Amino acid sequence: MQAIRSILVVIDPKLSENLALKRARLISSVSQSELHLLICDDKQNHVEYLDGLRLELENQGHVATARQAWHGNLHQTIIAVQQAEGCGLVIKQHVADNPLKRALLTPDDWKLLRYCPCPVLMVKTEAPWTGGNILAAVDVGNSDIEHRTLHSSIVRHGYEIASLAEGTLHVISAHPSAMLSAADPDFQLKETIEARYRNASRKFQDEYDIPDGQLHIEEGPADALIPRVCHQLQAVVTVIGTVARTGFSGALMGNTAEVILDTLESDVLVLKPEDIIDHLEGLVAQR
């Protein structure tokens, strides 16, 4: 987070509170990042409103720009401006769609998480980060190089946020239930599965000084366990990642991050591996 020099802040003038802007202002105060404000709209003129926000930020000592744009839909507009400004982070307030609409149409925030080449911070609460618990969610059962690199990025970002906010980093990894018919003997008993996952977590425990009490290895589906542990810890930020499941065609996102976006009671930072970021940037450049 400290290395991010430029942040894109998505402003929704219809919302009563600019939670994304509040969070961006705090991050910028620590990281000295430039703030680029964006309203995605092609119907109403919001220049005066944006100028007011920009001037307020500049009076507070921030470097800020502001613009209104529209490129066909919400997520494409955000990504186009993110690429044009070279922003290393997008911050947007998340507002959940109603279940019926979500069943019929893919939510805009899901599309943003799928296709945005840089990390996305979805702001959901006003809760201060200072002194809070930060939850990094990894899947150490996947040990290929792509996943290991992503796990390292997730834990590193969680550690940096915890350091900046003087908070406490927790790490969670969900493991499958034991199956006596499993070909690998380690997966025939719950105890051996948990031991395997804890052993796989040892590297980043040692690197970031994470005690066993802050490592949560639990049995069950990730999309149920992560929100539960987040609630138990009253986490202020959950860091989660995604990799392409079937190569690069479509760069499809795993379901977990999308499913838990509405159920988590914290802000959510979503990361991708470098190779997927490169692929998504290539797709944007072709438009």
Side-chain angles (χ1 to χ4, degrees):
M1 298 286 282
Q2 289 172 296
I4 294 172
R5 309 315 317 161
S6 179
I7 298 173
L8 179 63
V9 189
V10 181
I11 304 294
D12 186 343
K14 298 190 297 296
L15 298 176
S16 58
E17 292 186 283
N18 284 321
L19 296 185
L21 183 57
K22 289 181 180 179
R23 197 66 81 203
R25 187 187 293 118
L26 291 173
I27 294 173
S28 174
S29 297
V30 175
S31 65
Q32 304 304 308
S33 303
E34 295 182 3
L35 297 178
H36 299 276
L37 311 185
L38 170 67
I39 288 181
C40 303
D41 192 357
D42 65 342
K43 295 180 174 63
Q44 286 183 273
N45 189 311
H46 301 281
V47 172
E48 185 176 345
Y49 176 60
L50 281 168
D51 282 344
L53 294 177
R54 178 181 55 78
L55 286 171
E56 182 181 347
L57 288 169
E58 290 177 347
N59 290 335
Q60 294 168 349
H62 298 279
V63 177
T65 66
R67 72 158 78 175
Q68 178 175 340
W70 187 253
H71 297 280
N73 56 50
L74 181 68
H75 77 278
Q76 287 184 352
T77 303
I78 295 170
I79 293 169
V81 176
Q82 178 265 327
Q83 288 287 285
E85 298 289 355
C87 297
L89 175 68
V90 170
I91 302 181
K92 181 183 181 298
Q93 183 172 340
H94 173 65
V95 179
D97 289 327
N98 67 67
L100 178 59
K101 182 179 178 182
R102 193 167 61 240
L104 297 173
L105 299 169
T106 303
D108 287 323
D109 284 355
W110 286 18
K111 293 176 184 176
L112 180 61
L113 295 184
R114 289 180 188 182
Y115 302 119
C116 186
C118 75
V120 177
L121 175 64
M122 288 291 182
V123 182
K124 299 189 65 178
T125 78
E126 284 190 282
W129 287 6
T130 305
N133 288 319
I134 314 302
L135 182 61
V138 295
D139 178 12
V140 295
N142 280 307
S143 57
D144 58 79
I145 184 64
E146 190 176 43
H147 280 89
R148 289 202 307 271
T149 302
L150 182 57
H151 299 158
S152 178
S153 178
I154 291 169
V155 178
R156 185 181 75 252
H157 277 79
Y159 178 81
E160 290 176 355
I161 294 171
S163 298
L164 292 172
E166 298 180 343
T168 303
L169 175 62
H170 292 255
V171 177
I172 182 172
S173 187
H175 69 74
S177 302
M179 293 182 61
L180 291 176
S181 60
D184 188 335
D186 281 356
F187 286 91
Q188 294 177 1
L189 296 172
K190 178 181 178 181
E191 293 75 13
T192 54
I193 297 175
E194 183 173 330
R196 182 164 175 166
Y197 273 61
R198 287 193 176 277
N199 185 58
S201 305
R202 188 62 56 193
K203 181 179 182 296
F204 53 73
Q205 273 194 275
D206 292 341
E207 184 174 355
Y208 297 105
D209 193 25
I210 302 168
D212 288 344
Q214 290 163 219
L215 176 65
H216 308 270
I217 305 295
E218 301 195 27
E219 176 184 339
D223 56 7
L225 287 175
I226 296 171
R228 178 168 64 78
V229 172
C230 175
H231 174 75
Q232 290 172 346
L233 296 173
Q234 294 185 308
V236 292
V237 187
T238 300
V239 187
I240 191 168
T242 178
V243 296
R245 288 187 167 184
T246 55
F248 291 130
S249 57
L252 294 177
M253 185 179 200
N255 288 332
T256 302
E258 295 176 356
V259 170
I260 68 174
L261 183 59
D262 285 351
T263 55
L264 282 168
E265 299 172 2
S266 70
D267 293 347
V268 187
L269 177 64
V270 180
L271 310 175
K272 297 183 182 72
E274 288 295 329
D275 45 7
I276 290 182
I277 290 172
D278 292 342
H279 174 67
L280 292 173
E281 287 180 335
L283 292 178
V284 175
Q286 292 170 16
R287 293 196 180 116

